[in-house]
Amino acid sequence: GGGGGGSRSRGRRSRSGGARRTARRSRSRERAERARQRSRSRGTRGTSGERRQAKQGATSRSRERRRHRSRSQSERAKQQQQQPARRTSRSRRRSRSRGRRYSRSKSHSRRARRRSRSPEERIPPVDFSDYEPSPDGGGWYVYKKTGKWKYHPETGLYLHVKSKVYYVQKEGDPKTFRKIEDDEDPVVKKMKQSEEMRKAIQSTEFVKFDESGNPAVQDDQLAVVEEAVAHKAPGPDPKPLEMVREEELRHEGRVQKWDSDKGFGFIVAINREGEEIGKGVFVHRKNVVGSTATNPINLKEGGKVAYKPGEQDNRPCALEVMMLGADGKPLPIHAGAQTLEEKKKSYYVTAESLGLRVHAESWPGLKKTLQDRFVSDEAMEELGVYFAVLDGHGGTQVADHAAKQLHKNIMNHFRQKQVQPASRDEKIKLAIKEAFTQTDKEILNMAERKKFELVGSTVVTALLHGNPKLGTALRLVIANLGDSRAVLCRGGQAVAVSEDHKPTRIDEKKRIERAGGLVLQVRGAWRVAASTNPNSMSKSARREYQGLAMTRSLGDLYFKQPTTLSIAEPEIQVVPLSDKDLFLVLATDGVYDVLTNQEVVDLVLRHWDNPEEAAKNVVRSAYKRGSEDNLTVLVIQFGWADKNVPKYLEKRSGTLGVSLGDALAGVSKKGSGGDIFTVSSSKKPVDDDVDMFG
């Protein structure tokens, strides 16, 4: 009845057609039928009063359950307050049992992993900061956390202490290691050679010499000396010359002030009566004998010290400082380090000790100013001897700074990486690259402050690395930026050991174009193009360009900022020297623009025993050939190859245009120093203009 009423009401509201009303009625009948079937399946629902009573009963039951639940919770809380100790002990027992089960499973898994790991799967820890120097001084570093591993930084070897097995990182994949089972492996041989060198330093006995150059009296001659002293004339004993020299060099003083945190202080000199003389002298912890970065030695204020006066950064300072005991002798903390330092200095090498003959010649040529610089025979302590030739452009500031600082930075990075005479080529190359980068950063920072953004310089360096005193063969390490060149004479033939960085090199041209730069031909020469003033607000000023004749250099700020076109990463070659190698020539592009490599070698070979004449011969010849640039040549003749020179001179005597007898005498024929070249007398000095184009 309800369904029909609903359909009639809807029918009255909607009078839009009989078909639509019929459809609505059929749908309402279907809904009513479904509702009746659902009520029939659930059973009789009862009247509305019955339904109301059932709902109230369900509500009261739910309230009862909630009250019971709250009552049980309050009772449990009271029980827990009354018996806290019992609950705590139970929880502890449960946690202990869980911990035992966890530790048992963990230890079981550890034992399983230990059993399953084979020696080939051992991976040494590679973080160098976790290692500390071995106390035996053998060059090894011990893993601080467990002591199960040792690391040899000179060769890159890792040693598993328990199994005595060596491991080394695989090339190209630092996460994997190669196991070394053969003692004849080259890396193991290098390590043993390094250990022998250290033992030799520690066990070497030194002989003192008097002023006349004769050895001082030794222990086995002491008896003879004492016998002679017994019959000497009466009078005061004369002091030995060696002791007098030491006393003259060393002064005694007292520590006036010392800052342990900063590592420096002041020492004031004292006389024999202990009275202070003059003002305090600065002393740094690094000048205390035996003090190192890992084991610093601090001076004690008011303590007595012995020191040598010296200078640091043009300021007076105290060197080789040692604390003295009550007996006036150095404390034992300095004794071992003093002996080791003396032994280390005895292995320093110079050009003279290596048998080198060196001379550099530098002329301005047709230019008004000389912007070339050179460094000759700069000793690198026990690591070899350093040489360099620099060709500045736009000014001399960059070449001056690099000539003074580059070799110092190289030495600092050698010490940081613990480079030794027998170190690997890769370690040497990395240290030199980092030193070049550091020097260039210093120059760029100064260029912004002192306004020489347009100034730059090429550089070619040669390091004779090695030490014959320690049984290490010499290697020639060449590093170059720009178009200055190093040429080696090998058996009378010229061998270029560096390659110029010019815009015509395909790889350099592609690198500059990938960086967004331009390589253009300007006035017949190829140049790297960059804006003269990239930071200018004027559009016309930004469109004015400057050209650089090389693709790598020191300085040249506008070619590195904002876009890096010229870089300061050197190309490095390591060349083992042989008996065929006679000499090395370092020269700027002013020489090689007009002379070939072989011509330079032939000119030097005329004066093979006189480096000064050889260098002058090359410079004169380049000038007469018509070079318009500064001319700098540095000749390094290898004295150990003198015995091999005659046979190579004989082979090239026809080409040199000089007889073998004259060449061996070191004198060439009249007019043979460059007279074979001609030069126009109309040449005038050339202005050193910056290469500018719009």
Side-chain angles (χ1 to χ4, degrees):
S7 64
R8 282 195 298 272
S9 65
R10 281 195 297 273
R12 284 194 297 271
R13 283 195 298 269
S14 177
R15 302 173 184 239
S16 58
R20 198 177 301 168
R21 286 194 294 271
T22 305
R24 288 195 191 105
R25 290 192 193 100
S26 62
R27 283 197 296 271
S28 64
R29 289 194 198 98
E30 290 174 0
R31 283 197 296 271
E33 184 63 28
R34 283 198 298 271
R36 281 195 295 270
Q37 289 177 359
R38 281 198 298 271
S39 62
R40 212 177 286 122
S41 62
R42 291 174 186 167
T44 306
R45 298 182 62 183
T47 61
S48 59
E50 292 175 353
R51 285 199 298 271
R52 197 181 302 113
Q53 290 178 1
K55 187 175 181 180
Q56 290 175 356
T59 304
S60 62
R61 284 195 297 272
S62 64
R63 288 198 194 110
E64 185 65 26
R65 280 197 298 271
R66 282 199 295 273
R67 281 197 297 271
H68 179 72
R69 195 180 302 121
S70 62
R71 197 184 302 115
S72 61
Q73 287 176 357
S74 61
E75 289 176 356
R76 280 199 299 271
K78 289 179 182 178
Q79 291 176 1
Q80 288 172 3
Q81 290 176 2
Q82 293 173 359
Q83 299 176 350
R86 184 183 303 170
R87 183 177 62 82
T88 306
S89 61
R90 284 176 187 164
S91 63
R92 284 177 181 169
R93 281 199 296 272
R94 289 195 203 99
S95 62
R96 285 197 197 109
S97 62
R98 286 197 207 98
R100 283 193 216 100
R101 287 198 299 272
Y102 175 71
S103 61
R104 238 179 263 126
S105 62
K106 195 172 181 180
S107 61
H108 177 73
S109 61
R110 277 202 202 116
R111 284 196 298 272
R113 283 200 302 270
R114 204 177 293 125
R115 282 196 301 270
S116 63
R117 184 179 294 171
S118 61
E120 288 78 12
E121 295 175 356
R122 290 195 184 103
I123 299 177
V126 295
D127 190 357
F128 186 69
S129 60
D130 292 336
Y131 288 84
E132 61 183 359
S134 178
D136 58 2
W140 286 92
Y141 282 66
V142 183
Y143 189 52
K144 292 186 288 189
K145 296 181 179 180
T146 61
K148 294 181 179 180
W149 289 93
K150 285 187 176 182
Y151 175 59
H152 198 259
E154 295 179 18
T155 56
L157 279 176
Y158 292 89
L159 173 64
H160 187 255
V161 178
K162 187 175 181 180
S163 63
K164 304 294 182 184
V165 177
Y166 296 105
Y167 295 86
V168 67
Q169 287 180 332
K170 290 185 178 179
E171 294 182 3
D173 189 3
K175 294 184 179 180
T176 59
F177 293 82
R178 176 173 66 90
K179 179 182 177 182
I180 300 177
E181 299 178 349
D182 186 8
D183 289 343
E184 297 299 320
D185 190 279
V187 184
V188 178
K189 283 185 175 181
K190 272 191 177 182
M191 180 270 296
K192 292 183 178 179
Q193 185 182 10
S194 174
E195 287 186 340
E196 290 174 1
M197 179 187 70
R198 288 179 176 272
K199 289 178 182 178
I201 293 176
Q202 295 175 358
S203 62
T204 303
E205 297 294 336
F206 294 90
V207 179
K208 292 185 178 180
F209 293 86
D210 55 23
E211 287 186 344
S212 61
N214 299 318
V217 178
Q218 305 297 320
D219 292 339
D220 55 355
Q221 300 171 338
L222 190 58
V224 180
V225 175
E226 288 177 350
E227 185 178 353
V229 170
H231 300 286
K232 71 177 179 63
D237 295 335
K239 293 183 179 181
L241 293 175
E242 191 71 28
M243 293 180 63
V244 172
R245 196 180 306 123
E246 283 292 324
E247 288 184 2
E248 289 176 355
L249 291 175
R250 288 197 174 276
H251 292 190
E252 287 190 359
R254 185 178 290 112
V255 181
Q256 192 177 38
K257 188 177 180 181
W258 182 259
D259 191 330
S260 300
D261 296 330
K262 297 181 179 178
F264 67 84
F266 294 89
I267 294 175
V268 61
I270 59 174
N271 56 19
R272 294 184 178 180
E273 288 76 21
E275 298 174 351
E276 296 184 357
I277 305 172
K279 297 180 180 180
V281 180
F282 177 80
V283 58
H284 195 275
R285 186 158 48 199
K286 66 182 181 182
N287 293 324
V288 177
V289 176
S291 180
T292 61
T294 56
N295 186 24
I297 297 177
N298 290 311
L299 301 180
K300 185 179 180 182
E301 289 189 6
K304 196 174 180 182
V305 296
Y307 67 95
K308 288 183 181 180
E311 282 190 0
Q312 184 176 348
D313 298 331
N314 297 323
R315 293 171 51 196
C317 68
L319 305 175
E320 299 183 22
V321 182
M322 294 184 293
M323 293 182 285
L324 302 178
D327 55 356
K329 294 181 180 180
L331 295 180
I333 194 172
H334 305 293
Q338 185 183 14
T339 306
L340 186 60
E341 189 67 21
E342 290 175 356
K343 290 180 179 180
K344 185 179 177 182
K345 287 182 179 179
S346 69
Y347 287 97
Y348 288 2
V349 293
T350 61
E352 184 179 358
S353 66
L354 293 177
L356 303 176
R357 297 188 296 270
V358 184
H359 186 77
E361 202 68 32
S362 188
W363 292 4
L366 293 178
K367 286 196 172 183
K368 292 181 179 179
T369 58
L370 178 63
Q371 297 180 351
D372 291 355
R373 297 291 185 267
F374 64 86
V375 181
S376 178
D377 186 16
E378 190 66 46
M380 305 286 280
E381 298 183 359
E382 79 280 6
L383 300 179
V385 187
Y386 169 90
F387 307 89
V389 165
L390 304 99
D391 183 1
H393 50 265
T396 62
Q397 295 93 328
V398 174
D400 287 336
H401 180 83
K404 293 177 182 177
Q405 195 64 32
L406 181 56
H407 65 278
K408 296 178 183 178
N409 291 341
I410 291 175
M411 192 65 192
N412 290 337
H413 284 276
F414 276 177
R415 292 306 184 203
Q416 289 176 13
K417 292 187 166 32
Q418 299 179 338
V419 173
Q420 300 295 329
S423 292
R424 295 171 295 166
D425 295 351
E426 292 77 12
K427 182 184 286 189
I428 298 170
K429 289 181 180 180
L430 181 59
I432 293 176
K433 283 183 180 179
E434 291 180 357
F436 269 72
T437 304
Q438 178 187 346
T439 306
D440 190 55
K441 286 181 180 178
E442 296 169 357
I443 291 170
L444 296 181
N445 291 335
M446 286 193 300
E448 290 182 326
R449 296 196 314 270
K450 300 184 179 180
K451 305 300 180 185
F452 54 88
E453 296 93 340
L454 299 176
V455 182
S457 177
T458 71
V459 58
V460 57
T461 67
L463 175 64
L464 275 167
H465 182 74
N467 197 324
K469 295 181 180 180
L470 300 173
T472 307
L474 288 174
R475 288 174 287 179
L476 188 61
V477 184
I478 303 293
N480 76 298
L481 290 176
D483 51 10
S484 297
R485 195 180 305 166
V487 176
L488 179 68
C489 175
R490 175 165 288 175
Q493 301 296 322
V495 179
V497 287
S498 69
E499 189 175 359
D500 298 350
H501 296 127
K502 292 195 173 184
T504 51
R505 267 182 60 171
I506 301 299
D507 55 343
E508 291 293 292
K509 184 173 182 291
K510 288 182 177 179
R511 178 183 62 78
I512 290 169
E513 290 175 346
R514 281 197 299 267
L518 295 174
V519 176
L520 304 175
Q521 192 173 17
V522 182
R523 298 169 189 165
W526 288 95
R527 296 286 187 267
V528 180
S531 176
T532 306
N533 194 355
N535 301 321
S536 174
M537 300 297 291
S538 171
K539 191 174 182 180
S540 60
R542 291 197 302 271
R543 284 183 175 178
E544 186 177 354
Y545 289 88
Q546 61 178 336
L548 188 63
M550 70 284 304
T551 58
R552 302 191 188 194
S553 63
L554 294 173
D556 293 316
L557 178 65
Y558 287 160
F559 288 89
K560 295 177 180 177
Q561 296 177 6
T563 305
T564 305
L565 303 179
S566 175
I567 60 176
E569 181 181 344
E571 284 188 325
I572 303 174
Q573 303 290 335
V574 181
V575 183
L577 293 176
S578 65
D579 293 338
K580 293 182 179 181
D581 300 323
L582 307 183
F583 56 83
L584 178 71
V585 179
L586 305 180
T588 57
D589 63 328
V591 173
Y592 292 113
D593 284 346
V594 295
L595 296 175
T596 65
N597 295 345
Q598 190 60 51
E599 285 174 336
V600 171
V601 167
D602 290 342
L603 290 168
V604 175
L605 205 55
R606 294 173 185 270
H607 307 279
W608 65 272
D609 63 342
N610 190 338
E612 182 177 356
E613 283 300 318
K616 287 181 178 179
N617 194 16
V618 176
V619 171
R620 280 195 300 263
S621 301
Y623 181 77
K624 291 188 176 184
R625 181 67 72 89
S627 176
E628 298 181 354
D629 204 349
N630 293 159
L631 303 168
T632 299
V633 176
L634 193 150
V635 177
I636 308 164
Q637 295 178 340
F638 306 145
W640 62 80
D642 288 350
K643 60 182 181 297
N644 301 320
V645 172
K647 61 180 179 181
Y648 299 123
L649 276 174
E650 187 175 3
K651 290 180 181 179
R652 297 198 57 79
S653 58
T655 306
L656 297 175
V658 62
S659 66
L660 179 60
D662 289 343
L664 292 175
V667 180
S668 60
K669 289 183 177 180
K670 185 177 180 179
S672 66
D675 296 340
I676 57 174
F677 304 111
T678 59
V679 61
S680 174
S681 60
S682 62
K683 289 284 183 182
K684 295 181 179 179
V686 180
D687 291 336
D688 183 23
D689 293 334
V690 179
D691 191 0
M692 306 279 287
F693 55 93

